[in-house]
Amino acid sequence: MTDAALRAPLIRNRDYVCLLGAQALSLSGREIEGLVLPLLVLGLTGSPAQVGLVAACQTLPYLLFSLPAGALIDRSGRRRVMMLCEAVRALAFATLPLAWWLGGLAMIQIYLVAAVAGSAFVFHNIAEVSALPLVVDAADLPKASSANGVVEWIGENSGPALGGVLVGVGRSTVAGAMLAYAVQAGMLVASLGFLGAIRSPMRATSQPERRGTLLSEMGEGLRWLWGHPQIRAMALLAMALNLIFSPVSLAMIVLARTSFHAPPAAIGLMFSLAGGAGLTATLLAPWVRQRVRLGVIIVGGVAVWAVGLGLVAASTSMLTLALAWLVMPASSGIQSVAGVSYRLSLIPEAMQGRVNSVFRFMAWGVQPAALAIGGALVGAIGARQTLWLLALGMTLTAAAVASSPLRRAV
């Protein structure tokens, strides 16, 4: 993009608006699946452990592909990568309702679709994060990150509600899930349309004259991140948070279904109700960031999450469960915007893909094990006891982050 285009107000920055529209559709579709996948597997097998294993297959690609993905994305136009990934995900999800309609839906296909779609999402997500500094001016990164956070919260909280409604209107849980997957595939096709309207190839302008091997480029990203103590601490914190948070939604879904006998639509609404608090916090994040040190935002946010998880574990009804869940999104909205804009502002343009891929590898690489172990725990000791263990883990994390280099971040 030209310097003039980068300096244009965000609302008049055509490429940024298209990128934001594609993100909204892509994230909403992913969050539909976040609710529908556990309900589908529970409907087919009745096993929380199976749910955890399928979810682990979906997130395992972050452990396998994050590091090479970043180096490959830095070599390629990020728009092209995102378009290819959206097409792969749309086709993968469309095979599920087709197989069901033909009478051949099986668990092995669900495992395969989870793995293929998860792999495509790894490349798409890293390319999307790394594309943002290429379409907005550095001074606008906090505002752009806030706007992206708003879209993310809308997707995260409208997706489960829509997924719950779609599952609920089906003649059975499985039939409703197939309708939801068809809608999700359509949303990804629409996302492709927004990406196709972007004019910039989203390729870093400053490229090294001579490239090394893929392995050496991955090492450059790792060395850069590890050499910056606060960014390194943010990556380690994200790893701990994902280890704890990954099984939370599964435990909450099982608790709602088994203890409170909630229908799918009510479960989707429970996750969506938190969107109001999260959306408000995300909108306020730039204002808060100007007045509060990053270290205070991060340390305080993790402490709030520890309290919130304790309240979730102690809930006695769908109402108290939904109200307890409201505690965490507000903190998450502010912390996410502040942390992402801070990180993106420090990473050199030509290394965005590599460094962000290392960050994602560390942060999300623990999810497969966390989901598999979480599903096994829910099946073995119950959803409520699992939530209490996760609340204890978050409390220990809050104590650790209070003594880390992050407390001094400005």
Side-chain angles (χ1 to χ4, degrees):
M1 295 184 68
T2 65
D3 290 342
L6 286 171
R7 289 193 298 268
L10 290 179
I11 193 64
R12 289 167 50 196
N13 185 330
R14 183 177 184 274
D15 284 355
Y16 172 70
V17 171
C18 289
L19 180 64
L20 199 65
Q23 181 194 20
L25 289 163
S26 184
L27 278 173
S28 296
R30 180 171 171 80
E31 293 306 320
I32 289 175
E33 185 193 14
L35 178 70
V36 172
L37 181 62
L39 291 174
L40 172 62
V41 178
L42 283 172
L44 289 172
T45 69
S47 169
Q50 283 266 50
V51 176
L53 289 174
V54 174
C57 283
Q58 189 180 42
T59 56
L60 183 62
Y62 261 103
L63 185 62
L64 299 178
F65 303 135
S66 285
L67 292 178
L72 290 170
I73 287 166
D74 278 342
R75 295 181 175 191
S76 308
R78 287 154 197 175
R79 181 176 72 101
R80 181 188 306 171
V81 171
M82 288 188 286
M83 291 184 70
L84 176 62
C85 293
E86 293 293 67
V88 169
R89 292 171 67 205
L91 287 172
F93 291 136
T95 65
L96 290 174
L98 179 61
W100 174 76
W101 183 63
L102 294 174
L105 180 65
M107 279 300 300
I108 185 63
Q109 182 183 358
I110 295 174
Y111 276 98
L112 289 172
V113 168
V116 170
S119 299
F121 183 76
V122 170
F123 285 85
H124 178 276
N125 183 253
I126 294 172
E128 183 181 68
V129 172
S130 303
L132 188 58
L134 299 180
V135 296
V136 301
D137 189 69
D140 286 329
L141 271 176
K143 291 181 181 178
S145 295
S146 178
N148 282 33
V150 170
V151 167
E152 186 173 340
W153 275 110
I154 291 173
E156 286 181 353
N157 293 283
S158 65
L162 179 57
V165 170
L166 291 172
V167 173
V169 300
R171 295 190 305 272
S172 65
T173 298
V174 176
M178 294 304 102
L179 174 61
Y181 272 112
V183 170
Q184 185 181 8
M187 294 174 77
L188 292 173
V189 171
S191 174
L192 264 174
F194 274 98
L195 292 172
I198 295 175
R199 294 167 179 164
S200 168
M202 296 181 182
R203 187 189 299 271
T205 55
S206 55
Q207 297 287 343
E209 292 183 4
R210 200 172 85 187
R211 294 191 181 279
T213 65
L214 187 64
L215 189 61
S216 68
E217 292 182 21
M218 291 159 50
E220 289 174 3
L222 179 60
R223 285 191 297 273
W224 191 97
L225 183 146
W226 208 254
H228 291 73
Q230 291 179 342
I231 302 295
R232 181 177 69 234
M234 290 176 71
L236 292 172
L237 173 61
M239 181 190 300
L241 294 177
N242 275 298
L243 185 64
I244 296 167
F245 262 126
S246 293
V248 169
S249 60
L250 168 61
M252 290 177 64
I253 289 170
V254 173
L255 181 66
R257 290 289 275 176
T258 58
S259 296
F260 307 140
H261 308 291
I267 298 173
L269 181 61
M270 172 186 67
F271 285 109
S272 296
L273 282 175
L279 178 59
T280 302
T282 302
L283 289 170
L284 290 174
W287 181 88
V288 173
R289 181 67 182 93
Q290 289 176 352
R291 292 160 175 80
V292 182
R293 288 191 304 108
L294 180 64
V296 174
I297 292 174
I298 292 176
V299 173
V302 180
V304 169
W305 285 339
V307 173
L309 272 180
L311 293 174
V312 167
S315 61
T316 56
S317 67
M318 276 299 295
L319 178 60
T320 56
L321 184 63
L323 291 175
W325 186 241
L326 288 174
V327 173
M328 287 173 279
S331 173
S332 180
I334 295 173
Q335 184 172 329
S336 177
V337 170
V340 170
S341 60
Y342 177 77
R343 187 174 85 237
L344 293 180
S345 68
L346 294 181
I347 302 172
E349 178 185 281
M351 294 188 66
Q352 286 282 344
R354 280 166 285 175
V355 177
N356 280 311
S357 70
V358 173
F359 194 97
R360 286 292 197 270
F361 172 79
M362 294 176 65
W364 290 27
V366 298
Q367 280 192 321
L371 287 165
I373 294 171
L377 280 173
V378 171
I381 66 175
R384 190 181 300 278
Q385 289 76 13
T386 300
L387 287 167
W388 276 119
L389 283 177
L390 297 174
L392 175 61
M394 188 63 73
T395 302
L396 296 174
T397 301
V401 76
S403 60
S404 75
L406 287 176
R407 73 181 188 277
R408 298 188 296 272
V410 296

